[in-house]
Amino acid sequence: MMRHFGLLTCLAAGTCLFSPSVMAEPVALLHARLVDGTGAAAKPDMTIIIDHGQIVSIGQAPEHGVRTLDLHGKTVMPALISDHSHVGLVDGMTTASRNYTRATILAALEQYRRYGVLTVTALGLNKSPLFDQLRREQHQGVNPGADLFGVDQGIGAPGGMPPEAMVDKMGHDQIFRPHTPQEARQAVDRMADEGTDFVKIWLDDLHLTNPAKPPLPLLGAPVWQAAMAEAHKRHLRVAVHIHDLDLAHQALAHGADILAHGVRDKPVDTALITQLRTSGAWYIPTLSLDESTYYFAEHPEVLSQSVVYDAMSPALRNTVADENWRKSTLAKPASAAAHGALAMNERNLLALYRRGVHIGFGTDSGATPLRLPGFAEHRELVLLVQAGLTPLQAINLATQQAAALLGLQDRGVLAVGKRADLLVIDGAPDRTISDIDLISQVWQRGTPVSDGLVPKGKTP
């Protein structure tokens, strides 16, 4: 006779949560549809046994006396992993250096977790030593919320990207702006000594993103090339912010390991495909970045959906509800440019995917008030499918491939010996990708930590 784990039952009902110590004994998840993250087809009626934070068995019946949870009609899949996000930049409708606080960052990491994103890579604009301390704490599971990786400060052009207008009062503790190759090497050494996971370099003049404004200064080639060489000397990979094909070529020619955004000005060419495949560099398209520019202005009706409403600050809800804001946003040249950029990005993503390029998963969420932690990752999955990937292929990018980009062997797929970071979903996202919104439970390190999102159809 099946024994139900009473505490798990109350989680499914949305009435309780757990401390990690509760799950010190094995638990068996029964009758689940299993989407393992590898791109393989879902397996029906599977049993997953978890013990001490790991998956210890898949497909075997539990031993007598093991606590159980019946997941009939639900899908179990790996938690999502973001290779490109930001933390500590946004509070309400402000993006400012003063927002970089422990409380703001932990609140964002909790929101990511609620949306099933259990590993987050904050790709630059981080302040040390706070970022380094929080990264260690999240690795150890000291605080609630997603695990945290990322770049410390990063390197941008003096007077250029990322613009001071984007993050108010952003100083040298949040980004380095070297004028000379020697200053660039010193900046890299500082980040390396702080324990950064990567080095981030911004190569973009924003000319095509904001066509109504003059281009911003670019980092001089000797400066960013010196930074890249020093990063490799210190055994660090380099993620490069690009927009245009020409700068993508240049970055890869000098050893870029990750293109942190998709090419959005023109179709990718054979030369870029060859560079990416030969070098093994990764490509993160961040499709939802451009869509976020206009999405809520075009679709104010999404405010009636709890999956959107609950991801927004009150200030953002009020802004999106304002018809004048929506009209003004849609009239801006940047919105028209963003439409074109998304279409080109989707086209290029599909071309690169079909040619076997390493594709990661990220959104630039948390960089502006409109890029909502957690919800942006759900939209990215939808846009990947819109671009031409199957739902299973999109899920694979957001799980197994995203983990591979980070060099993480312990997560990203559901397999014996892997970390039990998983989502329980009231739907079939491998068939209908938007079902990712139907998260009923989030499990982190083998412990149920959240009762997930509001069921579809329920409004605030």
Side-chain angles (χ1 to χ4, degrees), residues 408-442:
L408 298 175
Q409 302 296 318
D410 64 341
R411 68 197 77 179
V413 296
L414 300 186
V416 173
K418 300 296 185 181
R419 181 162 142 163
D421 281 1
L422 52 87
L423 310 181
V424 179
I425 299 178
D426 290 326
D430 54 307
R431 297 171 182 163
T432 304
I433 195 62
S434 60
D435 279 1
I436 193 66
D437 292 345
L438 303 181
I439 296 173
S440 67
Q441 300 171 24
V442 177

Side-chain angles (χ1 to χ4, degrees), residues 5-347:
F5 190 1
L7 290 174
L8 289 172
T9 302
C10 81
L11 174 68
T15 56
C16 69
L17 297 177
F18 296 81
S19 67
S21 62
V22 173
M23 298 306 295
E25 58 184 315
V27 59
L29 310 181
L30 306 180
H31 306 303
R33 293 184 71 252
L34 177 67
V35 174
D36 65 9
T38 66
K43 298 177 181 178
D45 198 21
M46 296 299 291
T47 296
I48 306 164
I49 302 178
I50 299 170
D51 192 13
H52 288 87
Q54 287 190 324
I55 298 172
V56 298
S57 173
I58 295 178
Q60 298 180 7
E63 295 180 0
H64 178 74
V66 171
R67 298 182 186 273
T68 63
L69 175 64
D70 189 347
L71 296 183
H72 180 78
K74 300 179 186 294
T75 299
V76 177
M77 62 173 280
L80 305 181
I81 296 171
S82 170
D83 293 322
H84 188 167
S85 295
H86 291 276
V87 296
L89 301 181
V90 174
D91 185 15
M93 288 301 291
T94 68
T95 308
S97 183
R98 66 179 180 275
N99 296 334
Y100 205 91
T101 66
R102 168 178 284 269
T104 300
I105 294 169
L106 289 179
L109 294 177
E110 286 196 71
Q111 178 160 312
Y112 279 115
R113 185 173 75 171
R114 188 160 56 86
Y115 281 74
V117 186
L118 293 191
T119 302
V120 170
T121 309
L123 215 55
L125 303 178
N126 297 303
K127 295 183 181 181
S128 292
L130 175 56
F131 177 72
D132 305 303
Q133 178 62 34
L134 283 173
R135 180 172 46 191
R136 287 190 292 269
E137 291 176 8
Q138 297 311 110
H139 290 346
Q140 296 164 7
V142 172
N143 310 304
D147 199 359
L148 182 62
F149 294 84
V151 174
D152 281 21
Q153 296 88 353
I155 295 174
M161 274 290 288
E164 294 291 340
M166 174 183 167
V167 182
D168 184 45
K169 300 189 183 301
M170 179 171 50
H172 69 276
D173 62 341
Q174 206 158 2
I175 187 171
F176 296 113
R177 297 192 185 274
H179 293 80
T180 67
Q182 179 60 20
E183 288 180 356
R185 287 188 285 268
Q186 290 172 346
V188 170
D189 288 339
R190 167 80 177 274
M191 287 185 279
D193 291 343
E194 291 169 344
T196 189
D197 294 311
F198 306 93
V199 167
K200 168 81 171 284
I201 298 173
W202 280 264
L203 293 182
D204 185 7
D205 62 9
L206 282 189
H207 175 59
L208 295 178
T209 301
N210 291 312
K213 297 182 179 179
L216 294 172
L218 276 171
L219 267 174
V223 177
W224 65 259
Q225 290 169 19
M228 197 172 290
E230 187 68 11
H232 291 153
K233 180 180 176 182
R234 296 297 300 267
H235 307 291
L236 290 168
R237 290 187 292 164
V238 180
V240 182
H241 170 117
I242 56 92
H243 181 287
D244 300 352
L245 179 63
D246 290 346
L247 285 171
H249 278 306
Q250 293 180 44
L252 290 168
H254 288 87
D257 302 286
I258 302 166
L259 295 183
H261 296 288
V263 171
R264 287 162 280 167
D265 65 327
K266 59 184 71 170
V268 294
D269 54 18
T270 302
L272 187 80
I273 294 169
T274 299
Q275 283 181 300
L276 285 164
R277 292 187 61 181
T278 301
S279 66
W282 287 83
Y283 183 95
I284 309 174
T286 63
L287 301 173
S288 60
L289 179 155
D290 288 297
E291 189 199 47
S292 70
T293 302
Y294 58 81
Y295 179 72
F296 296 118
E298 286 189 353
H299 299 283
E301 71 278 3
V302 298
L303 277 176
S304 66
Q305 302 172 12
S306 289
V307 69
V308 176
Y309 185 91
D310 292 345
M312 291 183 170
S313 68
L316 180 56
R317 293 171 196 151
N318 291 336
T319 298
V320 172
D322 184 347
E323 184 178 359
N324 290 329
W325 174 84
R326 298 198 302 270
K327 288 181 178 179
S328 174
T329 296
L330 296 177
K332 291 178 179 178
S335 292
H339 271 282
L342 173 58
M344 184 61 68
N345 204 354
E346 290 180 330
R347 172 181 175 179

